[in-house]
Every structure is written in structure tokens, then in C-alpha cells.
Amino acid sequence: MRRSVPVAAIAALTSAGLLLAGCSGSKDSKNGSGEANAATKGIVNASDAKGGTVNYALSDAPESFDPGNTYYAFVYNFSRLYARPLTTFKPGPGTKGNELTPDLAESMGKPTDGGKTWTYKLRKGVKYDDGSVITSKDVKYAVERSNFARDTLSLGPNYFQQFLKDNDGGYKGPFKDKDKAGLKSVETPDDQTIVFHLKKPFAEFDYLVSAPQTAPVPRAKDKGAEYTKSVVSSGSYKFQSYQEGKQLTLVRNPHWSAKTDPLRKQLPDKIVLKMKVAQSTIDKDLRSGNTHVDLAGRGVDGQTQAQLLTDPDEKANTDNALGQRVVYTAINTKVKPFDNVECRKAVEYAIDKKAVQTSLGGPIRGEVASTVLPTDIDGYQKFDLYPQKYDGDKLDLTEAKKHWDKCGAGKTDTTIVARNDRQDEIDAATTVIDSLKKIGVNAKIQSYPSSKYFSDYAGVPKFNKKNNVGLIMMQWGSDFPTGYGYLQQIANGKAISQSGNTNLSELDDPAINKLLDSAIADTDKAAREKAYAEIDKKMMEQAAIVPLTYFKVLLYRSPKATNLVSTSAFSGQYDYLNIGVKK
């Protein structure tokens, strides 16, 4: 079995004395906080100092910088520097970062018609980087292009397409529609007002409009799929240069005003992102201060982890946080033999989750999971439909073999896919393969880049069927911090799309779909949370997802970065809105 770190290092990582959660570091730590997990409790190196360059690095390249055509949490986070959605999350440590606040809008939405109509007023005087004034029509256009031009922009969620009132009226999106009036269900009675008319009540709509899909886009400057290369800024920074797959440079937006933006501080002169940098290099540069932030926010690699956790001073510069995420293997319910629920249940019992946990870096990277909902999402309830029993370190396969015999598949060949720039995901997939061999499943691994994973491979149902992809490695974070924000795009059959799909199991269960629809219409928060727990159990009964671990990130704080806050709102990443650099 391949591991992300050597066996000796794993032993060190998992020993009680080195677990990060209960320790604090030297008072002489390099960044001055002197405490592990400091950024999960408060702001580390708080500063309003202006100037300098903040350097980001990324091990691959993002799928897109277009705020309307992305679904990675780190791009959601980063895009707020140049794209202002109607609402967003306050920069705050831990769960304080889940607090929703108006951004481009001057206040939260005003619901009427029992929650089927939502009205927002835009702040006055907000301008693009070219000096032109942002209007409500630009927000409407942004929603139209991101949700109704799926053949061109397929990578973001499709909530608006599902819930806007006239979705069934044949609207083909702004690139094909000859009527420039666009959607009838989104009205702009004046330049400051936008009104959304929904098919049914949506109690959490303020969360929905925090997605960058509501960041304004001027129709005249939209270049469709090419817009990612020259996004028009509504935020505090604008694009200066972009070399695809290599480097993006942002500089201050001269038309941004603090008077119209209470959240952003516009501290550094410049923000530089270097792409396709080896993770080991990123880790080294973070420790030296040459890089200030790892953009993906997935944490250090295994070798670096072992070094950090055996050095008290270095350990004091780390943050280990839950990220409203679960690492899991999606079982494709449309690919044989996994279209049989008994086959899927066998897989649930057969995958050695403790071995997977070890391959991911040990308990510091997350406890073994048994539910689809993560423990840090409202609505989570503890249960385990497929309990695993061990004889020492050996997993008891009695239940797995019983269900596999019942499904009658015999020896089976399948394909498991993972992202090739994520070594931990490759290691976990390898462990899954080793586990399934013991019940007669011969899985071969195919790996693909993160930038194309959902657009070309794992998120394309036709590709999966053609290539016999029965198992898909996945790590899913909440779109917004509620059970609905976590479950909708991976559990609802209506969320399945032909590209950019995140319902990787292709599960389309009428009972689950109905529960999701009724829950989001309920204004009673407690009732919604009860429904989310019920949906979780129904998903596990369907055995469409094998939860592996409740993801935890291990971040290293650059000694030269200021205003570092590890936030739950963006999967435990640092909040990117106001990071600066020490002089």
C-alpha cells in the first residue's frame, strides 16, 4: 500500500503527543502568534499596513477564474478580490466566518410572497475597474450567463436554473436568446433594484446569492468561455496580466472605494498567483516567507506534515481546522454492477476506512466518517449503517462478502478516477483498490487534472459510462453552511448535468428530491435540520456514497503574511479578502 508519508512518519503523526488539537507551540514562533490553531480563534498578525506584494501559489491551475463558471471553494474565496456577489461571509475565525453579510447589496434580501420573491437593493456608486457604474442589470445578466448557458459555462452550480420561476419557458441563455430582456423571473425595475421570482419558497436564499454567480458582469464585455482571461473587476483588485496555467497578477482597482465597501481594505499593491507549482515547493516557500498563501488551501503535503509536527516551533505556525467537508468515494449508480444496491452496500463494508485515513495522513487530517453530512454542518446526526469491525488491524469482510454474493456480480472490473495533482487522493484511491480486491472487485485507477476533473472526466456522465467508471474519488465542501448547501448538488437528481456535474453518483431518488425541495421551503430552521438528517440517512441507505473521513486541513502560516484567519465558510482555508504582507 502506498502512503503519502513514510510508515515511521505516520506513527509519529498519529501519536497522541503530536496531535495538533491539544497543543500549543513555543512563544518564539516565527509569526509571533506562539500558538497552534491561532487563526481558528482570531486574526493572526492583524495589520492595516498598505503596500507590498502578496504571493499565492497553486499546485495545478484553476478550472476558471470566471466567477460565474467555477465551483472550487478556493476560487470562490479568491474571486471576491475582483468580484462582489450580492452577499458574502464576514472574515472571521472558525464558525464566526459563517456569518453572512451584505456585499454588493446594501442589505440582506427582502422576502415576500411566502419566500418565493426576494428583492435586493445594490449599494450606490459601486464601479467597475473601467470607471463605469455597476447596475442591477449586470447582476441579472451574470445570473443568466452562469446558469442558462451550460453548453458554454458548465462548471458552476445550477441553483438558479432549478428554482427561478420561468426556467421551463424555453429560455436558452444570453448567448442564444435574441430577446435581450432575458429572464422574466428576474426583474430590474431600476438600476439599484433586482427582484428574483422563484417557483417555490427558498428559506436560505440569502446564502444562495453569496455565490460568485451574482457578481456583476457587463454584457458588452462578456467573452463567454474566454471571459476567465480578462474578468471585469467589481472588487478591490483588477486583472493586470494573465498567462493561462502560469501566472495571474492583480493590482488595485483605482475605482474601488472604501465608502461603498465595508469589508475590503485593499492592502497590498499587488497580488501574484503562480500556478502548477509542486506542493513540496509551495510548502518550502511558505516556510521561508517567499509564498504567503497556498491558494487551494488543502494543507501541506505528507512529508512537510511530518516535519511540522515534530518541531514545536514549526507546529506553532499551523492551523488544523474542520472544513465542512467529507472525503468520500462516490459509487456510480448508473454503471454496472453498481446499479445494484446490494453491490454498493458490499463496497460500503469492504473499503477499509482506517487504512484510507492513514493514507491521507492520519487523524490530524480527519476522523473516520460514517455520514454524508460533515460533523460541523447544522443537521448532522451521528449514525453508522455500515459499521466496520476489526480483528486487530484486519477488517472483517463478512458483511461485505455477504452483500457481494447477494448482488451476484462475481469477479468485476471497474475504473476508479482521482485527481492527479492531489497525491493524497491518489493514495486514498490506491487504498480503496486494495480493499475491494478482497471481495472480487478489480479496480484500475485513472487520474486527471483538477482543472478538467468535472468538465471533462468525473463530472461527465457519458464519459463515465463509456469508460466503465464505477468509483470516483471526491472531497465535497458545503456551498453554504447549511444541510441544504451541502446536500443539494450531490444528492438531488435535478442537479445532474452533462458536464460540470457534482452529483457523481448520478443518484436520482424521488424521495430524496422531495425532501430537499420541501425542506428548503420551510422557514423553521429546526425543521429544516431534521429533514437534512433524514436525507443523510436515506442517502446512506442507497449506498451511493462511501464516506471516508471528515476532512481536516493542516495549514502553515507564512511568517510574512498578515490578517490570517482560518474560516469555516471556505473549508477552513484562510480568508483571502484582506491578507497583507509584513513590511
Side-chain angles (χ1 to χ4, degrees):
M1 186 188 335
R2 289 193 300 141
R3 295 177 171 86
S4 57
V5 291
V7 175
I10 286 291
L13 299 181
T14 56
S15 65
L18 289 178
L19 287 181
L20 204 61
C23 66
S24 60
S26 163
K27 294 297 179 182
D28 298 323
S29 72
K30 294 176 183 177
N31 71 4
S33 69
E35 182 184 2
N37 292 323
T40 68
K41 305 169 187 175
I43 301 173
V44 175
N45 293 331
S47 174
D48 286 336
K50 290 182 175 289
T53 299
V54 172
N55 294 311
Y56 287 77
L58 182 63
S59 60
D60 191 26
E63 52 188 2
S64 174
F65 288 110
D66 184 337
N69 193 36
T70 184
Y71 212 174
Y72 275 106
F74 66 87
V75 185
Y76 269 40
N77 191 356
F78 187 71
S79 70
R80 296 181 303 151
L81 291 163
Y82 55 82
R84 294 179 64 180
L86 289 173
T87 64
T88 193
F89 297 94
K90 285 185 178 181
T95 56
K96 290 183 179 179
N98 289 336
E99 185 178 348
L100 203 61
T101 187
D103 192 352
L104 186 64
E106 64 180 20
S107 65
M108 306 303 274
K110 307 294 184 187
T112 53
D113 191 22
K116 290 195 290 186
T117 300
W118 288 78
T119 302
Y120 295 85
K121 289 280 190 179
L122 272 60
R123 299 180 191 272
K124 294 181 180 179
V126 185
K127 297 180 179 180
Y128 290 115
D129 59 69
D130 64 0
S132 58
V133 176
I134 294 169
T135 72
S136 56
K137 291 181 176 61
D138 300 332
V139 177
K140 176 181 178 178
Y141 179 74
V143 170
E144 292 170 343
R145 70 187 291 275
S146 62
N147 279 258
F148 294 89
R150 304 296 289 184
D151 54 342
T152 303
L153 307 173
S154 65
L155 298 176
N158 61 353
Y159 288 109
F160 290 102
Q161 187 186 63
Q162 293 178 56
F163 288 100
L164 285 172
K165 192 173 183 179
D166 62 356
N167 177 22
D168 300 326
Y171 178 65
K172 301 299 182 183
F175 303 144
K176 293 181 179 179
D177 185 38
K178 294 180 180 179
D179 181 5
K180 299 301 181 184
L183 286 169
K184 295 178 181 178
S185 58
V186 183
E187 296 178 332
T188 54
D190 58 58
D191 284 350
Q192 250 60 54
T193 307
I194 185 165
V195 184
F196 297 91
H197 296 280
L198 311 179
K199 296 176 183 178
K200 58 191 72 176
F202 196 110
E204 298 170 1
F205 198 73
D206 277 334
Y207 282 111
L208 182 55
V209 298
S210 71
Q213 291 180 329
T214 66
V217 175
R219 181 191 291 267
K221 294 193 176 182
D222 186 11
K223 299 178 181 178
E226 296 297 303
Y227 186 67
T228 185
K229 298 178 181 179
S230 55
V231 177
V232 181
S233 174
S234 54
S236 50
Y237 288 84
K238 67 173 186 175
F239 281 41
Q240 182 187 60
S241 61
Y242 176 55
Q243 296 171 278
E244 190 171 6
K246 295 181 179 179
Q247 182 168 305
L248 170 66
T249 300
L250 304 178
V251 293
R252 287 176 175 160
N253 174 1
H255 295 283
W256 173 83
S257 171
K259 293 179 180 179
T260 64
D261 189 347
L263 295 172
R264 295 162 182 80
K265 295 181 178 180
Q266 203 183 55
L267 298 179
D269 298 320
K270 187 181 293 186
I271 297 169
V272 176
L273 166 63
K274 293 182 179 179
M275 292 168 263
K276 297 191 176 180
V277 181
Q279 188 63 50
S280 58
T281 301
I282 294 174
D283 294 349
K284 181 187 67 172
D285 289 345
L286 281 171
R287 295 168 76 181
S288 69
N290 291 327
T291 291
H292 303 113
V293 188
D294 177 358
L295 184 71
R298 294 179 54 253
V300 299
D301 71 9
Q303 184 176 4
T304 305
Q305 176 176 319
Q307 294 168 359
L308 296 178
L309 298 186
T310 53
D311 182 331
D313 287 336
E314 289 286 66
K315 187 165 57 179
N317 286 343
T318 61
D319 294 294
N320 187 212
L322 286 166
Q324 298 177 353
R325 287 178 175 264
V326 172
V327 178
Y328 62 85
T329 300
I331 307 177
N332 195 318
T333 62
K334 297 295 188 285
V335 172
K336 290 183 179 300
F338 304 114
D339 54 347
N340 184 327
V341 69
E342 291 299 329
C343 293
R344 301 198 298 270
K345 287 180 178 179
V347 172
E348 294 276 0
Y349 280 112
I351 294 177
D352 188 337
K353 295 183 182 182
K354 287 185 179 179
V356 172
Q357 180 193 49
T358 298
S359 73
L360 290 169
I364 201 165
R365 291 306 185 112
E367 296 300 324
V368 168
S370 62
T371 60
V372 178
L373 278 176
T375 59
D376 52 340
I377 287 284
D378 290 341
Y380 163 80
Q381 288 185 8
K382 185 178 181 179
F383 67 93
D384 190 353
L385 296 186
Y386 310 100
Q388 297 193 322
K389 299 177 182 178
Y390 288 84
D391 181 5
D393 292 331
K394 186 178 180 181
L395 177 64
D396 182 346
L397 294 174
T398 302
E399 286 295 320
K401 290 178 179 178
K402 182 174 73 175
H403 285 282
W404 191 252
D405 288 344
K406 190 181 291 187
C407 99
K411 290 189 179 296
T412 295
D413 292 330
T414 193
T415 300
I416 183 170
V417 298
R419 284 166 279 199
N420 59 19
D421 58 300
R422 300 188 175 201
Q423 187 58 48
D424 55 347
E425 194 163 279
I426 297 290
D427 293 341
T430 302
T431 304
V432 169
I433 290 170
D434 291 343
S435 295
L436 295 181
K437 280 181 182 177
K438 297 171 184 175
I439 64 167
V441 178
N442 179 36
K444 65 176 182 179
I445 190 168
Q446 294 290 336
S447 60
Y448 304 100
S450 292
S451 57
K452 300 291 184 182
Y453 196 61
F454 300 103
S455 62
D456 294 8
Y457 307 109
V460 182
K462 287 183 179 178
F463 174 89
N464 293 324
K465 187 173 183 179
K466 181 179 179 181
N467 292 276
N468 192 34
V469 177
L471 304 166
I472 302 171
M473 298 303 295
M474 184 61 163
Q475 181 192 117
W476 182 250
S478 181
D479 287 352
F480 42 91
T482 73
Y484 190 90
Y486 189 89
L487 293 167
Q488 165 68 11
Q489 292 293 302
I490 62 172
N492 198 328
K494 297 174 185 176
I496 299 171
S497 58
Q498 295 312 302
S499 177
N501 173 47
T502 50
N503 182 345
L504 299 180
S505 303
E506 297 182 53
L507 180 66
D508 190 3
D509 184 309
I512 291 175
N513 298 345
K514 185 177 179 180
L515 270 171
L516 282 164
D517 288 348
S518 60
I520 197 60
D522 197 327
T523 56
D524 185 334
K525 186 173 183 288
R528 292 201 303 272
E529 290 176 4
K530 183 179 179 181
Y532 300 148
E534 185 178 353
I535 293 164
D536 194 352
K537 288 181 181 177
K538 285 186 177 297
M539 288 189 70
M540 291 307 300
E541 288 169 357
Q542 288 289 345
I545 282 175
V546 184
L548 300 173
T549 63
Y550 299 119
F551 171 84
K552 291 186 78 174
V553 66
L554 181 65
L555 300 174
Y556 185 83
R557 294 193 297 268
S558 167
K560 294 185 179 179
T562 63
N563 302 322
L564 292 177
V565 187
S566 175
T567 174
S568 294
F570 294 104
S571 305
Q573 301 164 10
Y574 294 124
D575 189 298
Y576 298 156
L577 212 54
N578 291 310
I579 292 177
V581 60
K582 285 184 177 180
K583 293 290 188 175

